[in-house]
Amino acid sequence: MKGNFFVLFALLITITIAGCQETGSHLTNHVNPFLGTATLWEPEDLGYVRKIEERTWGAEVFPGSSLPNALVQLSPVTQYRSGAGYQYEDTVIYGFAHTNKGHWNLLHIPMLPVTGEVSPLDFKSEFSHNNESAHPGYYQVFLERYHINAELTSTLRCGYHKYTFPDTTDKKLLADMARSNNRVKDWEIKKVDENTFGGYQDADGKLHFYAVSNYEIANIEQVREEGNVVSVVNFRDSKKSEPLELKIGFSFVSMENAKMNLEQEMLNKSFSQVRGEADQKWEELLSQIKVTGGTEREKGLFYSTLYRSFLWPALRSDVNGDYMDETGELANGGFRYYTDPSFWDDYRNKLVLLAMLQPEVTTDVIKSITDKGEKRNGYMPTFFHGDHASVFVAGTFLRGIKDFDLERSYELLLKNATVPGRGGRPYLDEYMERGWIAEKDTVNVPTHDEYKAAVTKTVEYAYDDYATALLAKELGDEENFDLLMSRSSNYKNLFDPGTGFWRGRIDDGSWIKDFDPYYPYYAYMYREANAWQSLFFAPHDPEGMIALYSGREAVDAKLDSLFSEPWRGYEAHNMTGFIGNYCHGNQPNHSVPYTYYFIGKQEKAQFYLDSIMNHYYDMGADKLAYAGMDDAGEMSAWYVFNAIGLYTYSPADPEYIVTVPLFDKVEFTMGDGNRFTITKKGNGQKIRDINYGGRKIDGWFVSHDELKEGKELVITTESSTDKK
């Protein structure tokens, strides 16, 4: 009988995996949710020989079920205190958690179906990738220890668990309430009625849940051993062959609201219905960009990165609009409340892609961060480094997305830019006083030590000033427009003409003497970069940036050296995927290749853009690793834009630099219904002509307003062998 059981389960899993492909020619079939879950290990991928035991950072993404920008991300946990809780090289599963970002946080309320006696010291289950599958809005895995087939799907605020147990086996559910990726401050789980249990977990937000089971609940017990505790839900008459199904509503407000969310989104639906609706929701989003031509691999990478671009920021309000605000009070502003974006990363491209395809989400994100700023301390929220909500708000408004109170947002951003204080820009006082931030005068700084990252802050604040100035102009604030525009040139103050690098100064204005442009720092002079990777950041003023050098030939030589000078073998967790000293595995130099455009060498830029797209998004032995951390979708959105022939070189400005697309034809439907087409003619890397709607485009940029006209953008290329 045991042999027959495994044969039946193998058949079941085959049918389940095949079911992922039953959506015909849907674009969701091009998506691989496992892309990015693997880690780089080999020297040829990393760019150096490993010496430390800790693994390098992967893309830190999850393979589980979610809808676009949802509250719930229902995904397996193979390792706590990892970026997204899942590493492809792992072989065990600890549970299925309900929130995820990929920043070593969240993983609320992990649950695992189990059988037999339970020990809080050992309940994980082995699994194999041969018996695991994923699709947008769906995840499946066979838990080998318990012989349970687990299937997961979700709505915006609810998770659906379906567990097929072996026949004649008592069904149990383990809730690991004391664990998440954050410190758990408090938790509760209790039986609500015969088929319902609920509670909360307070860890990076207090998440309440309300779970309805198709089996009656006998009791919920806490099992303790050596200071560890897990909760076990026991079910009545659970040896039936019918799978255990759990429909769980979630809310950051209350269990009552979690119940309300469940009743409105999922309670009366079957697993297959919820799964089908999730697939359809993703299909609608992916269908906003349809591509023709290219290889199957390129289509797979394109739609997988497009999918990955729309998982954060995450919803935090309920179906009735309730949310917990920054002060911990219940609020309802009449909009959907979202988490903060990862501004240091995704302001560069992902938030523009969000605005182009999902403008209603974008405006609600702006309303959310404005609400937080007003209630917290009067400053607009920042993230990690820089002040890039300014770029996000300016770029959104200037693209014609205006369904938010600009004056309220501007008031916060202006305070960020002009009033030093806790919650605003760090070291703003010295930036305002002298136009740059000083670094500590010291030597032999280890890579990981934390200082000011003064060079990076200075050049980024200059760009943030420019973005805020654009808003001042829109609102007629001439005084602050003039002030901020004058400060937007501050990026020049840390350029060292003697070395051709942006370089740190100490308090007396002299250059830092212990200067090695190859040595990487986490926060000394540069944020997560070396001097090479910190070149050429003035997206609002590329011509002024070029003019800092002795001539265009000097810029050309510097760029060539960036891509050819070999990485010196330094080992840093989040610096991987090199072309020379260019590092695609981290964000700081993602806009550098386009500098070639401004010295008349566009084809050189395209050479490197093509190389990056071809080599740095399905790396490693399993072809499932990115060059580095996705950072809430920035790395993915970089691929999306370049694959269709556009890039957000200066995201605050409503325009796009034109590149050579991977695909012969792109049909792009914006969130407001406007549709434009991009057509590639020729197979070269050099752009000979850019034409929009029958009109020749002068220069390299096409405006957002032009694209909204709904015409055809024709990019004509030539190769080095083409006759002119």
Side-chain angles (χ1 to χ4, degrees):
M1 288 297 294
K2 190 173 182 180
N4 290 337
F5 167 75
F6 285 115
V7 170
L8 288 172
F9 256 94
L11 177 62
L12 169 65
I13 292 165
T14 301
I15 293 171
T16 300
I17 295 173
C20 288
Q21 307 302 323
E22 287 178 356
T23 49
S25 60
H26 283 191
L27 298 178
T28 54
N29 287 334
H30 289 294
V31 176
N32 183 359
F34 292 108
L35 185 65
T37 62
T39 302
L40 295 177
W41 297 97
E42 299 303 320
E44 56 267 27
D45 292 326
L46 291 168
Y48 54 80
V49 177
R50 289 172 50 83
K51 300 181 183 67
I52 58 177
E53 292 184 2
E54 296 91 345
R55 67 178 182 85
T56 57
W57 294 359
E60 308 304 328
V61 298
F62 63 92
S65 174
S66 181
L67 292 189
N69 302 106
L71 186 152
V72 169
Q73 300 84 34
L74 180 48
S75 193
V77 179
T78 65
Q79 183 180 148
Y80 286 98
R81 300 306 303 157
S82 70
Y86 181 96
Q87 306 299 145
Y88 194 77
E89 61 268 21
D90 290 343
T91 59
V92 298
I93 288 176
Y94 290 89
F96 303 109
H98 297 87
T99 59
N100 209 304
K101 180 187 179 184
H103 274 72
W104 289 266
N105 61 345
L106 302 176
L107 304 187
H108 280 95
I109 311 174
M111 297 179 176
L112 187 73
V114 297
T115 60
E117 296 299 316
V118 174
S119 166
L121 301 179
D122 180 18
F123 57 82
K124 63 184 180 293
S125 174
E126 295 75 17
F127 76 104
S128 167
H129 296 306
N130 293 328
N131 290 335
E132 182 188 34
S133 62
H135 188 81
Y138 175 79
Y139 174 83
Q140 172 274 327
V141 68
F142 183 68
L143 302 174
E144 295 175 355
R145 176 173 181 171
Y146 303 109
H147 310 310
I148 296 171
N149 191 56
E151 297 178 82
L152 311 172
T153 188
S154 58
T155 62
L156 284 175
R157 302 171 182 87
C158 305
Y160 201 140
H161 300 237
K162 181 179 180 181
Y163 301 130
T164 303
F165 286 71
D167 290 345
T168 71
T169 301
D170 280 324
K171 299 172 177 61
K172 299 181 179 182
L173 181 77
L174 183 150
D176 198 2
M177 300 298 296
R179 294 195 73 177
S180 81
N181 247 358
N182 298 91
R183 184 178 70 85
V184 177
K185 302 173 186 176
D186 192 17
W187 59 270
E188 179 185 67
I189 184 171
K190 62 183 180 181
K191 181 179 177 180
V192 176
D193 60 37
E194 288 303 305
N195 288 83
T196 308
F197 62 98
Y200 64 83
Q201 185 188 63
D202 190 356
D204 196 11
K206 188 174 183 180
L207 183 62
H208 305 263
F209 69 99
Y210 184 88
V212 175
S213 166
N214 61 332
Y215 281 85
E216 289 188 2
I217 299 165
N219 59 59
I220 301 175
E221 59 179 324
Q222 270 73 54
V223 181
R224 303 176 185 273
E225 188 175 351
E226 297 182 12
N228 296 279
V229 58
V230 294
S231 301
V232 178
V233 182
N234 297 296
F235 300 94
R236 291 195 177 97
D237 301 322
S238 66
K239 293 183 179 180
K240 300 175 184 177
S241 61
E242 182 182 1
L244 172 64
E245 296 189 7
L246 302 171
K247 302 176 182 180
I248 311 176
F250 294 91
S251 167
F252 281 92
V253 174
S254 66
M255 190 167 72
E256 290 74 20
N257 277 24
K259 177 183 179 182
M260 174 183 61
N261 292 337
L262 178 64
E263 290 174 341
Q264 293 203 27
E265 290 187 1
M266 180 183 284
L267 188 59
N268 296 317
K269 297 178 181 179
S270 67
F271 186 91
S272 61
Q273 183 180 357
V274 173
R275 177 185 172 186
E277 290 175 356
D279 179 80
Q280 182 58 34
K281 186 67 175 178
W282 279 112
E283 183 69 20
E284 291 170 359
L285 176 57
L286 299 177
S287 294
Q288 289 184 252
I289 309 180
K290 295 181 179 179
V291 299
T292 303
T295 66
E296 285 302 306
R297 171 177 173 260
E298 288 168 340
K299 288 179 181 176
L301 290 174
F302 177 75
Y303 284 110
S304 295
T305 54
L306 180 57
Y307 161 82
R308 189 64 66 190
S309 300
F310 283 86
L311 294 169
W312 194 267
L315 185 65
R316 285 295 181 263
S317 57
D318 297 324
V319 292
N320 66 350
D322 285 354
Y323 61 91
M324 302 304 294
D325 69 14
E326 281 294 289
T327 67
E329 296 298 317
L330 177 64
N332 192 319
F335 57 89
R336 290 162 298 178
Y337 191 70
Y338 286 92
T339 60
D340 291 346
S342 291
F343 284 121
W344 191 57
D345 311 306
D346 54 18
Y347 84 95
R348 306 169 196 270
N349 49 42
K350 201 282 288 286
L351 292 176
V352 177
L353 187 63
L354 181 70
M356 294 176 81
L357 296 181
Q358 302 282 283
E360 71 287 351
V361 174
T362 303
T363 54
D364 282 342
V365 172
I366 293 175
K367 291 175 183 178
S368 299
I369 60 176
T370 301
D371 182 80
K372 293 173 188 177
E374 289 175 338
K375 293 179 177 178
R376 180 163 52 194
N377 49 27
Y379 291 99
M380 183 66 82
T382 61
F383 174 82
F384 188 63
H385 206 266
D387 184 22
H388 304 314
S390 57
V391 182
F392 172 44
V393 175
T396 299
F397 190 83
L398 294 174
R399 284 174 171 82
I401 302 168
K402 301 181 177 181
D403 187 23
F404 62 94
D405 191 330
L406 179 61
E407 291 189 6
R408 288 173 57 198
S409 300
Y410 173 69
E411 182 179 352
L412 298 175
L413 292 168
L414 185 62
K415 183 176 179 180
N416 281 30
T418 59
V419 181
R422 185 177 178 85
R425 298 184 187 181
Y427 313 110
L428 177 62
D429 50 352
E430 58 178 297
Y431 174 81
M432 292 173 60
E433 179 182 348
R434 56 193 173 196
W436 51 277
I437 298 169
E439 193 58 272
K440 184 177 181 179
D441 185 13
T442 186
V443 296
N444 300 321
V445 175
T447 293
H448 297 79
D449 279 15
E450 289 288 330
Y451 287 86
K452 291 182 179 179
V455 175
T456 303
K457 280 187 174 66
T458 297
V459 299
E460 290 186 353
Y461 286 175
Y463 185 54
D464 298 329
D465 286 340
Y466 170 77
T468 308
L470 296 179
L471 296 176
K473 182 178 181 180
E474 290 295 313
L475 293 171
D477 184 355
E478 294 183 9
E479 179 180 356
N480 282 307
F481 171 77
D482 292 339
L483 168 69
L484 294 166
M485 283 300 291
S486 67
R487 282 171 32 179
S488 72
S489 294
N490 284 345
Y491 74 89
K492 299 177 182 179
N493 295 335
L494 294 183
F495 178 74
D496 174 16
T499 63
F501 290 101
W502 276 258
R503 182 176 177 181
R505 295 182 186 270
I506 61 175
D507 272 322
D508 66 6
S510 61
W511 299 114
I512 286 177
K513 293 183 174 61
D514 187 15
F515 177 72
D516 177 359
Y518 296 91
Y519 192 83
Y521 298 103
Y522 277 9
Y524 186 66
M525 293 191 284
Y526 315 106
R527 171 56 78 178
E528 297 183 2
N530 64 13
W532 284 105
Q533 294 145 16
S534 303
L535 286 167
F536 303 117
F537 184 82
H540 56 301
D541 186 23
E543 295 298 337
M545 177 181 69
I546 298 299
L548 294 174
Y549 289 82
S550 60
R552 297 194 171 209
E553 295 80 5
V555 174
D556 191 18
K558 200 72 171 182
L559 285 165
D560 288 351
S561 296
L562 166 66
F563 289 105
S564 61
E565 280 291 314
W567 181 249
R568 298 301 200 255
Y570 298 114
E571 190 169 7
H573 293 310
N574 57 346
M575 296 183 198
T576 51
F578 298 96
I579 305 176
N581 262 261
Y582 173 86
C583 176
H584 199 66
N586 209 348
Q587 282 70 30
N589 55 182
H590 276 186
S591 63
V592 170
Y594 309 96
T595 309
Y596 277 116
Y597 276 71
F598 306 106
I599 58 170
K601 299 292 181 69
Q602 169 272 324
E603 66 276 15
K604 279 191 175 183
Q606 194 61 50
F607 172 83
Y608 290 113
L609 299 179
D610 287 345
S611 180
I612 293 165
M613 287 188 284
N614 191 41
H615 294 104
Y616 291 88
Y617 282 85
D618 56 354
M619 303 176 72
D622 296 296
K623 301 297 181 184
L624 292 174
Y626 278 16
M629 191 173 173
D630 191 34
D631 276 309
E634 189 279 344
M635 188 86 74
S636 294
W638 189 98
Y639 186 98
V640 171
F641 272 118
N642 283 285
I644 65 173
L646 302 172
Y647 192 68
T648 52
Y649 180 74
S650 175
D653 290 301
E655 62 183 12
Y656 310 88
I657 198 166
V658 176
T659 66
V660 179
L662 288 179
F663 305 103
D664 298 330
K665 184 177 181 180
V666 178
E667 297 172 275
F668 194 116
T669 304
M670 294 188 184
D672 60 7
N674 288 306
R675 181 180 302 169
F676 64 90
T677 302
I678 301 172
T679 301
K680 178 178 68 172
K681 292 185 177 181
N683 294 308
Q685 292 180 324
K686 184 173 183 177
I687 297 176
R688 189 178 69 201
D689 181 74
I690 304 171
N691 185 288
Y692 187 69
R695 178 178 59 83
K696 181 178 175 61
I697 296 286
D698 294 324
W700 301 112
F701 290 88
V702 60
S703 74
H704 189 81
D705 283 344
E706 286 174 317
L707 296 180
K708 287 172 66 175
E709 294 173 5
K711 298 176 181 178
E712 182 183 24
L713 177 67
V714 180
I715 304 166
T716 304
T717 71
E718 64 181 33
S719 67
S720 58
T721 59
D722 290 339
K723 292 182 179 180
K724 296 183 180 180

